[in-house]
Amino acid sequence: MKKGCHHGRAWVQAWAAALLLGAAAARAGCQLAQLEIPVRLVNQRPVGTLSLNGTEAPLLIDSGAFFSMLSPAAAAQLSLPLRSLPDGFRLSGYTGNIRARLTQVSRVGLRGQELRDIEFLVGGNELGSGIMGILGRNFLSVGDTEYDLAHGIVRLMFPKGDCGHVNFAYWAGEAPVILADLVSNSSATDTAVRVKVQVNGQKMTALLDTGAPGTSLMLDSARSAKVPEGELKDLGRVGGAGQGRVRSWTATIASFELGGEKIANVPLQIDDTHYFDDDVLLGLDYFLSHRIYVSRLQGKVYATWNGTPVFARGAPTDHYDTRFAAKPDDIAPDDAQALARRGEAATARGEYAKALQDLDRACELAPTVEANFLARARLHLAMSHPERALQDLDRVLALNAAQPDALAMRAAMRAARDERDAALADLAALDRLLPPPSHLRANMATVYSELGLAPEALRQWALWVPTHRHDARLASVLNQRCWLRARLALDLKLAVDDCKDAIDLDGDEPAYRDSLGWAYLRLDDARSAVRAFDGAIKLKPIAFSHYGRALAQQRLGQADAAQRDLAAARSLNAAIDTEVGRAGFPVAADAPAPEPSSAGQAVR
């Protein structure tokens, strides 16, 4: 592994020599050579594009990942040979362990330059949006790194000359500079970007992680900061890097401080994870509101504020004093790519009006660039303008009929609008286009299931599941497949197996035990059904689970218990009899006549 890290450093330095795009003078005697990487913000993810063996590969720019990684599906798509990690080597992510292997990519390219035989880890979760993997710190920490994600740029910086005491926030002008020391680690090879912060006056350590969409505070650290437990608002369970999911809440923190910057009444997510060693995870939301320079040379982090809300996505800026914000770099009014990147960043911040202005201009300037119209389609969806989103998706597919994300989005939207034939046409085109292990096949299965086409849904799941055995979505997908089979009384023993596997992967999700109960009911195994529903209800009272347990109790002759559960189900959901009937299951004898089954009830 050390050889792989060293190899990564060598190839990026070679690229830097080949792709020197300019030099910014920090002051006399210090020069900053730079390698600029354009970054697009896609669904709260900063994405740069490399080529791997001649195939364009969008990769997540992830300062939280120590090494670059490809998803298993991407490795399969590229037919890359895999080998085991060195003995004793283990990986863990934010929410659990990560099973990984190694591969070597023969040709890796960036902006016209190409290098040979580069190692990547293979593992982790699918990130969606066509992202094929992660560009980690073996790339991002070969020199200094500047993150200007509000404008869609990451720069690898290589100081030369007398730079030991230079202020590397060279863009700041008169704006205050946030300055913090990098927290050293006992391992000489640790390249993580850690700084000291204060939460409610308590000193803590924070990891700066562009791969995390939002900032979060660990539950134990929140307790140390005297965050009242009664003020925690439940968010349910969230996923991250790793196979598991963790409990999550939100709360308002009285104060947050980093390098002289102090923010009052901070809304933060609070997570109960045991796989994260630091107190705070500073995510993409922090990067979008700051321009950040990580100086490996000096062991410091420089930052300036951009003038936008730091943690509250989409919050008004009226009460912020923008006199303390750094002046942004000018963008030429005819630079469509820069405008599009800035527009996507504004979308990620929830500043939709600004985003639309930039993306409208980008689409006008570059009417043949499909990525701009796809970005605007996502923005229109976020703004609840589906008709405009569909128009942009139509434009994308007129430019490139094989654009998979646009086809998948349009198919789902058409299905939701009951445009069945049009949705099926998009799905058929997507099926012909995608490689068997594509991450989009799970999405296709969901749409087919919603359309009531069980064989097509099952075929897509059969293609997705074998190549995503360690994906965070696996438990949810297995539950969907179990639920569909239970509803339609198809392959019921396989349905039970799927639900049991989902529970093995995530035993704290009540819906999986609920689906198992209904599968057992279909098999006329009332005792097993009761046990499954007991487990679901213990985790969370669910109307479907109470109703299913009542049906099972009726079969066991437990009339009084059945009536209690029916009453509980109907108190939780007055329409539960109708919904059970629509799902295709038998209803209680005292229920109103069930309405015809609806395709829209296929997935819960």
Side-chain angles (χ1 to χ4, degrees), residues 492-503:
L492 291 172
K493 290 185 178 179
L494 293 178
V496 167
D497 289 343
D498 272 347
C499 272
K500 286 183 174 179
D501 287 345
I503 292 167

Side-chain angles (χ1 to χ4, degrees), residues 513-527:
R513 298 178 187 273
D514 175 74
S515 297
L516 178 62
W518 287 99
Y520 276 132
L521 266 182
R522 284 293 200 195
L523 283 169
D524 203 24
D525 186 348
R527 293 190 185 279

Side-chain angles (χ1 to χ4, degrees), residues 95-164:
T95 58
N97 292 322
I98 299 173
R99 297 198 180 186
R101 303 182 74 183
L102 274 174
T103 193
Q104 185 169 280
V105 179
S106 300
R107 295 176 291 115
V108 178
L110 173 67
R111 305 185 71 177
Q113 300 294 318
E114 191 170 82
L115 291 170
R116 300 279 179 168
D117 301 328
I118 306 304
E119 286 185 335
F120 286 80
L121 293 169
V122 177
N125 301 319
E126 293 283 357
L127 296 167
S129 305
I131 301 171
M132 298 175 69
I134 288 170
L135 199 63
R137 290 197 307 271
N138 64 313
F139 184 100
L140 297 172
S141 66
V142 295
D144 291 355
T145 317
E146 181 188 332
Y147 297 94
D148 187 12
L149 292 181
H151 296 91
I153 294 291
V154 169
R155 298 178 179 91
L156 302 183
M157 308 294 280
F158 301 92
K160 297 180 181 180
D162 183 13
C163 301

Side-chain angles (χ1 to χ4, degrees), residues 186-263:
S186 57
S187 171
T189 60
D190 183 23
T191 56
V193 185
R194 289 188 176 92
V195 295
K196 290 295 184 182
V197 300
Q198 291 190 46
V199 177
N200 290 351
Q202 295 291 313
K203 293 182 179 179
M204 297 184 178
T205 303
L207 175 72
L208 276 73
D209 184 358
T210 58
T215 293
S216 54
L217 174 66
M218 302 310 103
L219 179 60
D220 287 344
S221 303
R223 289 168 175 157
S224 298
K226 304 296 190 295
V227 177
E229 301 232 4
E231 295 183 8
L232 300 184
K233 298 178 182 177
D234 191 13
L235 291 178
R237 299 165 66 249
V238 300
Q243 290 179 265
R245 299 178 74 82
V246 299
R247 289 288 307 278
S248 185
W249 301 263
T250 185
T252 298
I253 309 303
S255 67
F256 177 90
E257 297 181 57
L258 192 168
E261 179 185 46
K262 184 173 181 178
I263 310 164

Side-chain angles (χ1 to χ4, degrees), residues 330-340 342 357-358 360-366:
D330 291 332
I331 290 180
D334 59 351
D335 189 340
Q337 291 185 351
L339 288 165
R342 188 173 70 180
Q357 184 177 2
D358 278 342
D360 280 347
R361 181 63 176 155
C363 290
E364 178 186 350
L365 289 168

Side-chain angles (χ1 to χ4, degrees), residues 576-601:
I576 186 63
D577 294 280
T578 298
E579 292 183 11
V580 168
R582 283 179 176 173
F585 294 109
V587 296
D590 63 343
E595 298 181 19
S597 179
S598 169
Q601 295 293 321

Side-chain angles (χ1 to χ4, degrees), residues 40 340 344 359 363 368-378 396 399 403:
R40 302 200 70 150
E344 288 174 315
L359 288 172
C363 290
T368 61
V369 177
E370 65 200 55
N372 297 343
F373 291 93
L374 185 58
R376 194 170 66 177
R378 293 188 177 108
V396 171
L399 293 167
Q403 214 299 328

